[in-house]
Structures are given as structure tokens and as C-alpha cells.
Amino acid sequence: MAQLRHEEAPARDAGGELVVLGSGDARYARRFREDLGWQGRVLSDPGLGAFAAAGMKRSMVDTVLNPRVLGHAVRAFRAGARQGPTQGDSWQLGGVLVVSPTDELVWRYASREAGDHPPPAEVLAALRRAVPPVPPGAPPTA
Amino acid sequence: MEKVPPALASHEVTDTDGAALRLGSLWAERPVALVFVRHFG
């Protein structure tokens, strides 16, 4: 998901926010923020309650044994990514939810296997769809 | 359109300072893309 760091500013420009949630503790969250130069919020969910409530997948096969995982790892390595020590649940998979201020689940992506991430453009497009319409007669915002 | 599961909106997580916050507070005023990462790093 590291490529999403390039989408932080476009997300803000679109009227939304990218928030990272991981299972490591606050110490690892701080390091992640510093290493990536991430400006936005990075949150910790060591008990994985949010992962479960969001319906994210947990699988030994799709984090270790699925041959596509190796392909994703090679592509990430060639792109400069270097994985550090794993924290939290090694079999937990990630994903992205886009949520509107009216509690609507506008878009959802659950990674099929480790290293499978949504195209950043799709995340941004969903964020734009999630911005509430400006009511007629509302004063212009800065 | 599908609503966010209440268990997700009410779930508490911690920020990088260790302070607790309710996930639903994140999108109270503007849309959020909540990125679930397998691990930090």
C-alpha cells in the first residue's frame, strides 16, 4: 500500500482523507509514518477488531502459499519496497474502505492475497464520489 | 447504499501517540479512505 503515499495530497484536494490502519502498535505506526513520510493519520488496531468488522480476509494460503504472492513481492522489490519485520498477525490481509460522512460504504476492496492492492486511481475516484453534494445556496468554501 | 457496519464505526483504535479514538469519528465531517495494511513496514 506504500504507493498510496503519493495520493495523500490528491485525496485532500478531493475533499477527503487517506487514513492508514495497521495491526502493529503505536511504535511501529510512528516508524511507518516516518519511513514513508506519510503526513496523514496512522492508526493501530492490535486486536484486529476493525479488520474483522470490515470483513478483511485472513488466510495462511493467501499470505504465504499462493504463487501470486511471490510475483507481487518481486514487483514491489523492483519498485524499491523493502519489507521490515512483520508485526501483528502474519496471516491478515489488507484492503481499503471508502466511507462517506453519512456512514455509507461507498467502495470496498479486500486484498485477494498478500501484495494485492487496489489501483490508487480507483481509491481517489471513490473518495470523490463520497464527498457530499453542496446544498443549493450554500456559501462557497475556501 | 450499504451502511458501514456499526461494529466498525464504534470500534476504538489508537493513534501514533497512543490516544484512543472511535473510527466513526474519522468520517464525521469528510469522506475517508481507510487503508488496512497487513503490517507497518
Side-chain angles (χ1 to χ4, degrees):
Chain A
M1 298 283 184
Q3 74 272 22
L4 279 174
R5 68 183 183 274
H6 303 300
E7 310 305 327
E8 272 200 285
R12 281 194 298 272
D13 292 345
E17 181 182 1
L18 293 181
V19 177
V20 172
L21 181 67
S23 63
D25 63 23
R27 176 181 38 144
Y28 288 109
R30 281 195 298 274
R31 188 181 301 168
F32 174 88
R33 205 162 180 266
E34 289 162 9
D35 289 350
L36 262 66
W38 188 272
Q39 303 295 311
R41 285 188 267 206
V42 180
L43 305 173
S44 297
D45 179 34
L48 297 169
F51 282 77
M56 294 301 159
K57 194 171 151 188
R58 186 176 180 274
S59 165
M60 181 179 72
V61 170
D62 290 322
T63 51
V64 180
L65 302 176
N66 186 325
R68 283 199 296 255
V69 174
L70 179 60
H72 292 313
V74 169
R75 273 192 295 279
F77 187 85
R78 285 179 178 160
R82 298 292 182 270
Q83 183 175 326
T86 300
Q87 327 93 38
D89 185 343
S90 301
W91 298 349
Q92 182 64 55
L93 288 163
V96 179
L97 297 185
V98 174
V99 185
S100 78
T102 51
D103 276 336
E104 286 170 334
L105 190 52
V106 175
W107 190 77
R108 180 176 189 275
Y109 189 95
S111 297
R112 291 164 293 188
E113 65 272 339
D116 170 44
H117 307 308
E122 289 192 22
V123 179
L124 281 179
L127 260 182
R128 291 189 183 102
R129 289 199 303 275
V131 175
V134 177
T141 55
Chain B
M1 189 177 287
E2 185 181 353
K3 288 284 186 181
V4 176
L8 180 65
S10 63
H11 187 71
E12 278 201 350
V13 296
T14 54
D15 65 17
T16 49
D17 296 320
L21 81 157
R22 197 178 59 84
L23 274 177
S25 68
L26 295 172
W27 53 81
E29 296 186 359
R30 58 178 174 172
V32 159
L34 193 55
V35 181
F36 292 79
V37 295
R38 286 191 62 225
H39 48 78
F40 293 129

Coordinates of all heavy atoms in Angstrom, one line a residue, chain A residues 19-21 41 43-45 49-51 53-54 97 99 103, chain B residues 4-14 20-28 30 32 34-36:
Chain A
V19 N -6.5 7.4 5.5 CA -6.1 7.1 6.9 C -5.6 5.6 6.9 O -6.3 4.7 6.3 CB -7.3 7.2 7.9 CG1 -6.9 6.7 9.3 CG2 -7.8 8.6 7.9
V20 N -4.4 5.4 7.4 CA -3.8 4.1 7.4 C -4.1 3.4 8.8 O -4.0 4.0 9.8 CB -2.3 4.1 7.2 CG1 -1.6 2.8 7.4 CG2 -2.0 4.7 5.8
L21 N -4.5 2.1 8.7 CA -4.8 1.4 9.9 C -4.0 0.0 9.8 O -4.2 -0.7 8.8 CB -6.3 1.1 10.0 CG -6.8 0.3 11.2 CD1 -6.6 1.1 12.5 CD2 -8.3 0.0 11.0
R41 N -3.0 10.5 9.1 CA -3.1 9.7 10.3 C -2.7 8.3 10.1 O -3.1 7.7 9.0 CB -4.5 9.8 10.9 CG -4.8 11.1 11.5 CD -6.1 11.1 12.2 NE -7.1 11.6 11.3 CZ -8.3 12.2 11.7 NH1 -8.5 12.3 13.0 NH2 -9.2 12.6 10.9
L43 N -3.1 4.7 12.3 CA -3.7 4.2 13.5 C -3.4 2.7 13.7 O -3.1 2.0 12.8 CB -5.2 4.4 13.3 CG -5.7 5.8 13.0 CD1 -7.2 5.8 12.7 CD2 -5.4 6.7 14.2
S44 N -3.5 2.3 15.0 CA -3.1 0.9 15.4 C -4.4 0.2 15.9 O -5.2 0.8 16.6 CB -2.1 0.9 16.5 OG -0.9 1.5 16.1
D45 N -4.5 -1.0 15.4 CA -5.6 -1.9 15.8 C -5.0 -3.3 16.1 O -5.3 -4.3 15.4 CB -6.6 -2.0 14.7 CG -7.8 -2.9 15.0 OD1 -8.2 -2.9 16.2 OD2 -8.3 -3.5 14.1
G49 N -9.8 -5.9 15.6 CA -11.3 -5.8 15.6 C -11.9 -5.1 14.4 O -12.9 -5.4 13.9
A50 N -11.1 -4.0 14.0 CA -11.6 -3.3 12.8 C -11.4 -4.1 11.6 O -12.3 -4.1 10.7 CB -10.8 -2.0 12.7
F51 N -10.4 -4.9 11.5 CA -10.2 -5.7 10.3 C -11.3 -6.7 10.2 O -11.9 -6.9 9.1 CB -8.9 -6.5 10.4 CG -7.6 -5.7 10.1 CD1 -7.1 -4.8 11.0 CD2 -6.9 -5.9 8.9 CE1 -5.9 -4.1 10.8 CE2 -5.8 -5.2 8.6 CZ -5.3 -4.3 9.5
A53 N -14.4 -6.4 11.6 CA -15.6 -5.7 11.4 C -15.8 -5.3 9.9 O -16.9 -5.2 9.4 CB -15.8 -4.5 12.3
A54 N -14.6 -5.0 9.3 CA -14.6 -4.6 7.9 C -14.7 -5.7 6.9 O -14.8 -5.5 5.7 CB -13.4 -3.7 7.6
L97 N -11.5 0.7 2.5 CA -12.9 1.0 2.6 C -13.0 2.6 2.4 O -12.2 3.3 2.9 CB -13.5 0.7 3.9 CG -13.6 -0.7 4.4 CD1 -14.4 -0.7 5.8 CD2 -14.3 -1.6 3.4
V99 N -15.6 5.6 3.0 CA -16.8 5.8 3.8 C -17.1 7.3 3.7 O -16.3 8.2 3.8 CB -16.5 5.4 5.3 CG1 -17.8 5.6 6.1 CG2 -16.0 4.0 5.4
D103 N -22.1 7.8 6.8 CA -21.9 6.4 7.2 C -22.2 5.4 6.0 O -22.5 4.2 6.3 CB -22.8 6.0 8.4 CG -22.1 6.4 9.7 OD1 -20.9 6.5 9.7 OD2 -22.9 6.5 10.7
Chain B
V4 N -22.0 1.5 6.8 CA -20.8 0.9 7.5 C -21.3 0.1 8.6 O -22.2 0.5 9.4 CB -20.0 2.1 8.0 CG1 -18.8 1.6 8.9 CG2 -19.5 3.0 6.9
P5 N -20.7 -1.1 8.9 CA -21.1 -1.9 10.0 C -20.9 -1.1 11.3 O -19.9 -0.5 11.5 CB -20.1 -3.1 9.9 CG -19.6 -3.1 8.5 CD -19.6 -1.7 8.0
P6 N -22.0 -1.1 12.1 CA -21.9 -0.4 13.4 C -20.7 -0.8 14.2 O -20.1 0.0 14.9 CB -23.2 -0.7 14.1 CG -24.2 -1.0 13.0 CD -23.3 -1.7 11.9
A7 N -20.3 -2.1 14.2 CA -19.2 -2.6 14.9 C -17.9 -1.9 14.5 O -16.9 -1.8 15.3 CB -19.1 -4.1 14.8
L8 N -17.8 -1.5 13.2 CA -16.6 -0.8 12.7 C -16.6 0.6 13.1 O -15.6 1.1 13.6 CB -16.6 -0.9 11.2 CG -15.4 -0.3 10.5 CD1 -14.1 -1.0 10.9 CD2 -15.5 -0.3 9.0
A9 N -17.8 1.3 13.0 CA -17.8 2.7 13.3 C -17.6 2.9 14.8 O -17.0 4.0 15.2 CB -19.2 3.3 12.9
S10 N -18.0 2.0 15.6 CA -17.8 2.2 17.1 C -16.5 1.6 17.6 O -16.2 1.8 18.8 CB -19.0 1.5 17.8 OG -19.0 0.1 17.6
H11 N -15.7 1.0 16.8 CA -14.5 0.4 17.2 C -13.5 1.4 17.6 O -13.3 2.4 16.9 CB -14.0 -0.6 16.1 CG -12.8 -1.4 16.6 ND1 -12.9 -2.4 17.5 CD2 -11.5 -1.3 16.3 CE1 -11.7 -2.9 17.7 NE2 -10.8 -2.3 17.0
E12 N -12.8 1.2 18.7 CA -11.7 2.1 19.1 C -10.3 1.7 18.7 O -10.0 0.5 18.8 CB -11.8 2.3 20.6 CG -12.8 3.3 21.1 CD -12.5 3.9 22.4 OE1 -11.6 3.4 23.1 OE2 -13.2 4.8 22.8
V13 N -9.6 2.6 18.1 CA -8.2 2.3 17.8 C -7.3 3.4 18.4 O -7.8 4.2 19.1 CB -8.0 2.3 16.2 CG1 -8.8 1.2 15.6 CG2 -8.4 3.7 15.7
T14 N -6.0 3.3 18.2 CA -5.1 4.3 18.9 C -4.3 5.0 17.8 O -4.0 4.4 16.7 CB -4.2 3.6 19.9 OG1 -3.5 2.6 19.3 CG2 -4.9 3.1 21.1
A20 N -6.7 7.0 22.2 CA -7.8 6.2 21.7 C -8.7 7.1 20.9 O -9.0 8.3 21.3 CB -8.6 5.5 22.8
L21 N -9.2 6.6 19.8 CA -10.3 7.3 19.1 C -11.2 6.3 18.4 O -10.8 5.2 18.1 CB -9.7 8.3 18.0 CG -9.3 7.8 16.7 CD1 -9.3 9.0 15.7 CD2 -7.9 7.3 16.8
R22 N -12.5 6.7 18.3 CA -13.5 5.9 17.7 C -13.4 6.1 16.2 O -13.3 7.2 15.6 CB -14.9 6.4 18.2 CG -16.0 5.4 18.0 CD -17.3 6.0 18.5 NE -17.7 7.3 17.9 CZ -18.3 7.4 16.8 NH1 -18.7 6.3 16.1 NH2 -18.6 8.6 16.3
L23 N -13.4 4.9 15.4 CA -13.2 5.0 14.0 C -14.3 5.9 13.3 O -14.0 6.6 12.4 CB -13.3 3.6 13.4 CG -11.9 2.8 13.4 CD1 -12.1 1.4 12.8 CD2 -10.9 3.6 12.6
G24 N -15.5 5.8 13.8 CA -16.6 6.6 13.1 C -16.3 8.1 13.2 O -16.8 8.9 12.3
S25 N -15.5 8.5 14.1 CA -15.2 10.0 14.2 C -14.4 10.5 13.0 O -14.3 11.6 12.7 CB -14.5 10.3 15.5 OG -13.2 9.8 15.5
L26 N -13.7 9.5 12.4 CA -12.8 9.9 11.3 C -13.6 10.5 10.1 O -13.1 11.4 9.4 CB -12.0 8.7 10.8 CG -11.0 8.0 11.7 CD1 -10.5 6.7 11.2 CD2 -9.9 9.0 12.0
W27 N -14.8 9.9 9.8 CA -15.5 10.3 8.6 C -16.8 11.1 9.0 O -17.7 11.2 8.2 CB -15.9 9.1 7.8 CG -16.6 8.0 8.5 CD1 -17.9 7.9 8.8 CD2 -16.0 6.7 8.9 NE1 -18.2 6.7 9.4 CE2 -17.1 6.0 9.5 CE3 -14.7 6.2 8.9 CZ2 -16.9 4.7 10.1 CZ3 -14.5 5.0 9.5 CH2 -15.6 4.2 10.0
A28 N -16.7 11.7 10.2 CA -17.9 12.5 10.6 C -18.1 13.8 9.7 O -19.2 14.2 9.5 CB -17.8 12.9 12.1
R30 N -15.9 14.5 6.7 CA -15.5 14.4 5.3 C -15.2 12.9 5.0 O -14.9 12.1 5.9 CB -14.2 15.2 5.0 CG -13.0 14.9 5.8 CD -11.9 15.7 5.4 NE -10.7 15.5 6.3 CZ -9.5 16.1 6.0 NH1 -9.3 16.8 4.9 NH2 -8.5 15.9 6.8
V32 N -13.5 9.4 4.1 CA -12.2 8.8 4.4 C -12.0 7.5 3.6 O -12.9 6.7 3.4 CB -12.2 8.5 5.9 CG1 -11.1 7.5 6.2 CG2 -11.9 9.8 6.7
L34 N -10.1 4.4 4.3 CA -9.5 3.7 5.4 C -8.7 2.5 4.8 O -9.2 1.6 4.3 CB -10.6 3.2 6.3 CG -10.2 2.7 7.7 CD1 -9.4 3.7 8.5 CD2 -11.4 2.3 8.5
V35 N -7.3 2.7 4.9 CA -6.4 1.8 4.3 C -5.9 0.7 5.3 O -5.2 1.1 6.2 CB -5.2 2.5 3.6 CG1 -4.3 1.5 2.9 CG2 -5.7 3.6 2.7
F36 N -6.4 -0.5 5.2 CA -6.0 -1.5 6.1 C -4.7 -2.2 5.6 O -4.6 -2.7 4.5 CB -7.0 -2.6 6.2 CG -8.3 -2.2 6.8 CD1 -9.2 -1.5 6.1 CD2 -8.6 -2.5 8.1 CE1 -10.4 -1.0 6.7 CE2 -9.8 -2.2 8.7 CZ -10.7 -1.4 8.0

